[in-house]
Amino acid sequence: MKTPMSLDRAIMAFAGVMILISVVLTQFVSPWWWILTAFIGLNLFQSAFTGFCPAGMVMRRLGIGKGADGMSCSR
């Protein structure tokens, strides 16, 4: 049986995918998409200090991270 993905790892994967998407959109659509990249970075930075993570709250409600250890985004 596979171990379920922890909430922290799911958040890191989601943030990475969103950053890659914003870089692609910046390259092919508009330079204004860098704002999304900056928003993601600022959100990761503030959650490192406060523990408040909106993505973590949504993922927890979707059932991601249940039963896995190592959840630091607990608020």
Side-chain angles (χ1 to χ4, degrees):
M1 186 172 125
K2 288 187 175 184
T3 306
M5 182 180 279
S6 70
L7 185 60
D8 288 343
R9 290 181 67 193
I11 290 169
M12 286 189 293
F14 178 71
V17 167
M18 291 303 296
I19 288 171
L20 291 174
I21 289 171
S22 70
V23 168
V24 169
L25 288 170
T26 299
Q27 184 67 31
F28 296 110
V29 178
S30 169
W32 286 100
W33 283 101
W34 283 115
I35 295 172
L36 177 61
T37 307
F39 174 76
I40 296 165
L42 287 171
N43 193 11
L44 288 169
F45 185 73
Q46 71 82 25
S47 70
F49 291 101
T50 65
F52 175 73
C53 183
M57 293 169 30
V58 171
M59 287 182 185
R60 206 173 316 114
R61 286 192 179 186
L62 293 174
I64 299 171
K66 289 191 176 182
D69 293 332
M71 292 191 332
S72 66
C73 245
S74 57
R75 293 183 195 171

